[in-house]
Amino acid sequence: MDFIASHENWKNCFSEVAPGLLLFARQWVQSAADAEDIVQEAFVKFWRRNHNIHNRALLYSAVRSIALDFIRRDKRRARREATVFAETERSIESQFELEDDTQSALAAAVDSLPHDQREVLVLKIWNDLTFSEIAGALRISQNTAASRYRYALSNLKKSLQPQ
Amino acid sequence: MNDFSELENELKKLRPAQPSPVIFERVEQALEDCEAGALADTTPLRSFYSWWWLGFGLATAGIVVLFAVISFEREHKLDTATIAQSSPASEIRPETPGTEQSRVTGRFVPAGGTNVVYNARDEGLQFADGSERPVRRVRYHTQQIWRWRNPETGASLRVSYPSEEIVFIPVSGQ
């Protein structure tokens, strides 16, 4: 029963997964506050239903579906965000804690990846999900998850190479 | 060998932005609210189900009683017919106390019935399958009451149940 969510240890679990969940939620919303709203709703829903905390695919799937609902709920806001996103091509608030220019360049390169590749990269690198878990969270095949990951790395490598 | 291992290591050095401290309080509050809400939510649901079961139980009991009465009535008619067939003289022969008494004691005879229509709703015209003539659909809500009486003991049985009837009334063309 150690793996089953209980009210006593939610803080430990949440502090462990929250940064990765927020980063994942930021794939859909530009504002950190909106991402926090989404993560809060998903985590509370997940925790309330006493899901196995090791069933991470379910948790990320919940974040994804709530983020998509969030966008649908407020179409006007979504349009505004989409416009901003199209104009800037990158987040207004940084999704990472940046230490130097190299990291800034890397973060910018990640930000400019196609959405489907960035989604897999975020789950793999900063959330430590396996391809099997990524496939479950995004409802795609493992092969698709693995190939999107490879494309993401390949594109990053290209964009970081000196011209 | 993974060509991207160096890049993966660089990516892992990037640390995602930390959540604001407020989010922990918000999650805690939301979890508490959920627990309180879950308790409040279950009460009307339980109440709804108990009412539902009560209604279902009463309806079932009513149906059982109705079937019992109908089967009893059939038996009664069958007995009367058998007696009439086997001994036509019994109709005019006076009953001998002590022999028929025990058989008749438990017998109930219909004493009347009423069918009260307390609501009728016209649901408009419609065409029945394969018919070109329209029919008017009328829904009646009624309360049916049937009474039986035991002539020997004076005991009576009364069954009352609500019913709903849908009646199709043919409409003549103009």
Side-chain angles (χ1 to χ4, degrees), chain A residues 7 10-11 14-15 19 22 36-37 40 44 48 95-98 103 106 110 125-126 149 153 156-157, chain B residues 3-4 7-8 10-20 23-24 26-28 30-31 34-35:
Chain A
H7 189 72
W10 74 265
K11 275 186 185 170
F14 186 67
S15 57
L22 282 172
E36 286 194 353
D37 286 347
Q40 177 193 329
V44 169
R48 255 191 81 192
Q95 302 175 20
F96 298 99
E97 292 179 348
L98 304 170
Q103 286 201 341
L106 193 55
V110 169
I125 297 285
W126 293 285
Y149 180 69
L153 292 178
L156 280 179
K157 206 169 187 178
Chain B
D3 295 338
F4 300 115
L7 179 59
E8 284 176 314
E10 287 300 314
L11 286 168
K12 280 176 185 170
K13 284 180 193 167
L14 273 178
R15 285 187 300 135
Q18 291 299 305
S20 65
I23 196 174
F24 285 87
R26 283 168 48 193
V27 170
E28 186 164 27
L31 284 171
C34 284
E35 279 174 15

Side-chain angles (χ1 to χ4, degrees), chain A residues 96-115:
Chain A
F96 298 99
E97 292 179 348
L98 304 170
E99 291 174 1
D100 51 37
D101 289 347
T102 315
Q103 286 201 341
S104 298
L106 193 55
V110 169
D111 230 11
S112 63
L113 282 174
H115 188 274

Side-chain angles (χ1 to χ4, degrees), chain A residues 40-102:
Chain A
Q40 177 193 329
E41 192 179 335
F43 187 80
V44 169
K45 218 176 240 186
F46 181 84
W47 201 262
R48 255 191 81 192
R49 291 177 185 168
N50 287 326
H51 289 308
N52 188 325
I53 198 65
H54 285 189
N55 190 352
R56 294 185 300 173
L58 200 60
L59 181 57
Y60 287 89
S61 178
V63 170
R64 191 171 193 260
S65 101
I66 288 169
L68 294 174
D69 283 347
F70 181 90
I71 292 169
R72 283 188 210 111
R73 265 203 305 259
D74 193 343
K75 286 183 181 171
R76 199 167 55 182
R77 182 178 170 154
R79 271 202 299 275
R80 194 170 65 232
E81 285 186 351
T83 311
V84 171
F85 187 61
E87 283 169 2
T88 59
E89 291 265 329
R90 66 177 64 187
S91 305
I92 299 162
E93 301 168 67
S94 177
Q95 302 175 20
F96 298 99
E97 292 179 348
L98 304 170
E99 291 174 1
D100 51 37
D101 289 347
T102 315

Side-chain angles (χ1 to χ4, degrees), chain A residues 141-153:
Chain A
S141 73
Q142 282 191 50
N143 286 339
T144 306
S147 68
R148 282 183 190 176
Y149 180 69
R150 278 194 299 275
Y151 278 124
L153 292 178

